[in-house]
Amino acid sequence: MSLLRRPGMLWLALPATAVLLFTYVAPMFGLARMSFNRTLPGGAMQPDWTLATYAEMAADSFNLELTLNSIQLSFTATTFALLLAYPVSLFLFRTESRFRSLLAIIAIGPLLVNGVVRVFGWIAVLGDRGLVNSALLALGLVSEPVRLIYNWTGVTIGLTESLLPYMVLALLAGFGRLDREVEAAAMSLGARPWRVFVRVTLPLSLPAIVLGWLICFILAMSAFVTPKLLGGGRVFVLATQVFEEAVDTVNWPLAAALSVYMLVLLLLFLGAYGALTRRVER
Amino acid sequence: MSHVRLDALSKVYGSNAPAVDDLTLTVERGEFLALLGPSGCGKTTTLRMIAGLVPPTGGTITVGGADVTSLPPYRRNMGLVFQNYALFPHMSVADNIAFGLEMRNLPRSEQTSRIAEALAMVRLEGYEKRRPRELSGGQQQRVALARALVIRPDVLLLDECLSNLDAKLREQMRIEIREIQRRLGITAIFVTHDQVEALTMCDRVALMDRGRLAQVGTPEDVYERPANRFVANFVGRINVMRGEANGASLAVAGAPVAVANAPRTQGTVDVMVRPHRMTIRPEDVAAAAGENRVSGTIGRIVYIGDVIQVAVDTPAGPLVAERTTTGPDWHTLAVGQRVAVAWSAADTLVFPPEAR
Ligand SMILES: Nc1ncnc2c1ncn2[C@@H]1O[C@H](COP(=O)(O)OP(=O)(O)OP(=O)(O)O)[C@@H](O)[C@H]1O
Ligand SMILES: [Mg+2]
């Protein structure tokens, strides 16, 4: 509002707008345009305005399965990430330790490591001869290695871990309404610590939870490296399918149509988020 | 028997100077005690130790004869009103007030009647469904008070809860809180740095200075008979003159000064007199018996409404005398006029200068 009243300030947004136009908006339109092109039997693409690709996509029941896979995987990984990140973030938010910033950097440190490298780290940990299985075997808890990678378990573990730093950041950003004084008030009114948590801390951190959950859910839906590498070709989600269609099958209109479909799906989630936050704010 | 008893209570944060230092204080049942002192003197820390929110590093707290020093806050049954109210932002007014009752597992019907009672007490009927942020500061303050009182606490603890209100509302709330406290006969401790609030609302005033108890007594005690320089300075306005004590006699700027309670000190002292106990006299009229006076020139006249403050430059330093504007004669004073400032021996306070 105030920006619009001082048009001079709008110039400050110009560089970012230009960059976004070229790197984001233009390719998106290009992608959307491509999804209406025709694929010739030989695999070549012919400019056109047809809904044939969308019809093909809708007719293929495998795409519904992929959608459900994507949603289920993202839901599980995001929820695990939330459960793991919440106590850490709460601690980081509150600690008066001198090492607070250091601890925060450690918590979001994994972002500094390339996603592919992290996946290989997981393979070393979760593989048949990995850390976990060696320990389980050595302890005699299992007689043969447990399959922890190249399946849904592995992908869920890897995805959860890759979401953690984002979840911590989002929670820290959303904890603004938490107030020690209000919790102290609850305690002075007779609430034991766990009741303070359930009745005050948790409700007041709901905006943070919703924000973190949404951001990570979107990240999880579009995650490609982890399902591809930790899935070992046995885990199929929308993101891997787009890659397959674009790179292996070289059916660009279909890859584009799938991308548009994913985008619409995420926009729907965003809409639901908007409605939800309006209710939380109430 | 005293209701609340603090015994050698201390709190040291980390390696800092003690925030509260060897504080011993008792509060009678049904008494309204003010904890008064400048910012940072340890008032909030003391109150929070009583509430159980800050663990003391030394000493004990007794309530009704029972040692509560190591009890957690949720087992203490104290009603705490915070400076910033600390209402639950996600709950309605009614839910805020109900919280303490729910924690006590009271039956629904009793909760409802007690909430209604509490809302009536703070005159907020009809506001049950509002959220805290939909209330004015004064209304939030009343909800906080109702929330603290509805649990029928052993002790009501108030932390500067009026300082966010405008002057008019603050005065009104002072009367209301005092009225409610008296009606319920509840023991209350009221933290404030506003001496007017402390003097006008409370039965007794405990003054704190850098974590220590400076004096405790009735408002009249601390105002008329301050125990030390700090109290004299902090409570009310006061003129400070440099004096020389020599056994029973005292001199200011070379002239002898009569004192009711002669100091038994030697050397430099601070001589203090309240502005409204100083009168402006014509310079040529002889001093009355036992009256102290010093001549000077009027440097400034400040009109406040009910009084004028007359600043007079004298050999004893600048002195401020207050005169009521009741009669017409105050108009005769003018800047530059030669006058005498007079005060009685009984109004003269003498303290050794502040040790540095
Ligand atoms: N959590 C804390 N950690 C370290 N020092 C603290 C803490 N809380 C208070 N202090 C220090 O203890 C001293 C007393 O603080 P306290 O809050 O009790 O003062 P106060 O009398 O309530 O002041 P005010 O009138 O400004 O509220 C201050 O010097 C303050 O800096
Ligand atoms: Mg304070």
Side-chain angles (χ1 to χ4, degrees), chain B residues 43-44 83 159-160 191:
Chain B
K43 308 179 294 289
T44 298
Q83 178 164 3
D159 191 356
E160 305 214 22
V191 159

Side-chain angles (χ1 to χ4, degrees), chain A:
Chain A
M1 274 293 137
S2 58
L3 263 182
L4 295 180
R5 253 181 266 121
R6 289 158 62 192
M9 298 293 271
L10 279 177
W11 293 103
L12 293 176
L14 198 63
T17 312
V19 169
L20 281 177
L21 270 176
F22 276 107
T23 63
Y24 199 71
V25 180
M28 289 293 263
F29 273 105
L31 204 65
R33 174 68 191 89
M34 199 186 284
S35 67
F36 297 107
N37 286 344
R38 187 178 295 281
T39 323
L40 299 178
M45 182 169 72
Q46 186 187 56
D48 201 348
W49 284 102
T50 173
L51 287 172
T53 315
Y54 283 98
E56 182 191 336
M57 187 175 82
D60 190 347
S61 68
F62 184 53
N63 287 327
L64 182 64
E65 196 186 321
L66 288 175
T67 307
L68 294 178
N69 282 352
S70 271
I71 291 176
Q72 196 193 356
L73 173 68
S74 305
F75 186 92
T76 316
T78 305
T79 305
F80 280 145
L82 176 66
L83 292 176
L84 290 170
Y86 188 87
V88 176
S89 310
L90 200 57
F91 170 78
L92 282 175
F93 185 74
R94 289 194 168 155
T95 181
E96 277 154 25
S97 159
R98 288 180 292 139
F99 303 113
R100 180 182 165 160
S101 8
L102 183 69
L103 293 171
I105 289 170
I106 292 174
I108 58 171
L111 287 178
L112 301 175
V113 181
N114 181 292
V116 179
V117 176
R118 273 198 282 163
V119 166
F120 285 122
W122 277 118
I123 292 175
V125 173
L126 299 176
D128 282 357
R129 285 151 206 252
L131 226 57
V132 174
N133 273 317
S134 310
L136 288 176
L137 287 169
L139 290 171
L141 290 172
V142 291
S143 52
E144 55 187 81
V146 187
R147 284 247 98 183
L148 291 174
I149 48 168
Y150 306 136
N151 58 12
W152 287 100
T153 314
V155 174
T156 307
I157 293 173
L159 198 56
T160 301
E161 189 265 348
S162 75
L163 293 176
L164 278 176
Y166 297 102
M167 187 63 93
V168 169
L169 282 176
L171 288 177
L172 285 177
F175 276 157
R177 286 226 293 177
L178 282 186
D179 183 352
R180 275 299 210 197
E181 289 291 273
V182 172
E183 290 171 314
M187 215 183 276
S188 81
L189 289 166
R192 289 161 174 281
W194 71 267
R195 291 191 94 168
V196 175
F197 180 77
V198 172
R199 294 293 309 274
V200 179
T201 315
L202 200 57
L204 288 184
S205 51
L206 215 52
I209 291 174
V210 174
L211 176 72
W213 203 91
L214 182 87
I215 289 177
C216 288
F217 185 81
I218 291 175
L219 286 171
M221 284 288 279
S222 46
F224 163 73
V225 171
T226 310
K228 181 78 180 164
L229 298 184
L230 274 178
R234 293 190 193 83
V235 168
F236 304 100
V237 290
L238 284 171
T240 54
Q241 189 65 18
V242 172
F243 179 83
E244 221 108 294
E245 295 297 347
V247 177
D248 297 344
T249 325
V250 203
N251 188 343
W252 284 20
L254 185 54
L258 275 169
S259 303
V260 170
Y261 168 62
M262 276 178 76
L263 188 71
V264 170
L265 214 56
L266 290 179
L267 286 177
L268 285 178
F269 275 109
L270 269 173
Y273 164 78
L276 190 65
T277 39
R278 269 192 295 281
R279 286 193 50 191
V280 168
E281 297 285 290
R282 238 325 286 178

Side-chain angles (χ1 to χ4, degrees), chain B:
Chain B
M1 199 193 78
S2 63
H3 188 196
V4 179
R5 193 183 168 81
L6 312 181
D7 240 317
L9 198 63
S10 299
K11 176 68 189 182
V12 183
Y13 288 107
S15 53
N16 300 334
V20 175
D21 193 5
D22 196 24
L23 188 73
T24 298
L25 186 64
T26 58
V27 191
E28 300 304 315
R29 194 172 285 281
E31 187 179 32
F32 199 167
L33 178 96
L35 210 52
L36 176 66
S39 188
C41 71
K43 308 179 294 289
T44 298
T45 305
T46 306
L47 203 71
R48 287 178 163 253
M49 285 196 281
I50 301 173
L53 294 169
V54 167
T57 45
T60 56
I61 302 163
T62 330
V63 178
D67 186 342
V68 301
T69 316
S70 52
L71 278 190
Y74 50 88
R75 304 243 308 267
R76 287 201 190 189
N77 200 35
M78 306 237 179
L80 189 53
V81 180
F82 293 77
Q83 178 164 3
N84 56 6
Y85 317 137
L87 297 174
F88 305 124
H90 57 300
M91 295 184 199
S92 67
V93 166
D95 289 344
N96 262 278
I97 299 175
F99 190 88
L101 304 175
E102 274 174 54
M103 294 304 126
R104 283 162 178 72
N105 296 319
L106 256 64
R108 273 256 163 244
S109 58
E110 169 141 27
Q111 284 191 26
T112 317
S113 68
R114 279 227 222 161
I115 293 167
E117 203 177 292
L119 279 169
M121 186 163 58
V122 296
R123 298 191 289 120
L124 276 180
E125 298 103 326
Y127 285 84
E128 292 82 351
K129 299 227 157 52
R130 296 264 196 117
R131 294 283 167 140
R133 67 160 181 274
E134 296 163 349
L135 299 176
S136 74
Q139 291 166 336
Q140 290 183 34
Q141 203 276 331
R142 285 187 226 178
V143 175
L145 187 63
R147 184 178 72 171
L149 284 170
V150 79
I151 61 171
R152 304 201 174 138
D154 292 333
V155 185
L156 180 64
L157 305 170
L158 305 136
D159 191 356
E160 305 214 22
C161 58
L162 301 183
S163 54
N164 290 343
L165 308 180
D166 67 59
K168 194 110 195 172
L169 189 57
R170 195 182 315 177
E171 202 158 324
Q172 182 191 336
M173 286 305 300
R174 268 182 214 153
I175 297 167
E176 275 180 35
I177 290 179
R178 179 74 228 226
E179 182 53 41
I180 290 170
Q181 182 269 338
R182 216 175 253 154
R183 187 144 39 88
L184 301 178
I186 192 172
T187 308
I189 301 177
F190 184 92
V191 159
T192 177
H193 60 247
D194 182 338
Q195 38 126 349
V196 177
E197 226 160 76
L199 296 187
T200 55
M201 282 176 81
C202 300
D203 297 314
R204 279 193 310 150
V205 180
L207 270 119
M208 286 182 71
D209 176 22
R210 282 168 289 173
R212 298 185 142 268
L213 189 66
Q215 184 176 1
V216 54
T218 63
E220 197 185 318
D221 283 339
V222 296
Y223 191 82
E224 300 287 350
R225 296 173 286 281
N228 51 48
R229 189 188 197 280
F230 168 81
V231 176
N233 236 331
F234 192 79
V235 181
R237 290 180 297 270
I238 203 153
N239 286 298
V240 184
M241 293 170 276
R242 178 61 47 91
E244 288 297 325
N246 190 356
S249 74
L250 179 71
V252 171
V257 163
V259 190
N261 302 309
R264 278 190 206 85
T265 49
Q266 209 70 22
T268 310
V269 290
D270 281 333
V271 179
M272 300 187 166
V273 185
R274 304 240 179 246
H276 66 277
R277 299 283 162 83
M278 285 185 151
T279 42
I280 304 283
R281 294 271 160 81
E283 197 184 10
D284 45 10
V285 174
E291 185 186 68
N292 295 310
R293 58 188 284 165
V294 50
S295 295
T297 313
I298 296 180
R300 190 165 34 89
I301 298 178
V302 179
Y303 175 77
I304 298 182
D306 50 346
V307 294
I308 52 168
Q309 287 181 344
V310 184
V312 183
D313 296 316
T314 74
L319 296 178
V320 175
E322 269 177 11
R323 168 182 282 203
T324 66
T325 53
T326 319
D329 65 321
W330 62 272
H331 271 302
T332 61
L333 297 175
V335 172
Q337 210 174 332
R338 290 287 300 175
V339 290
V341 180
W343 69 94
S344 76
D347 290 329
T348 313
L349 303 168
V350 180
F351 298 107
E354 195 172 13
R356 284 273 167 207

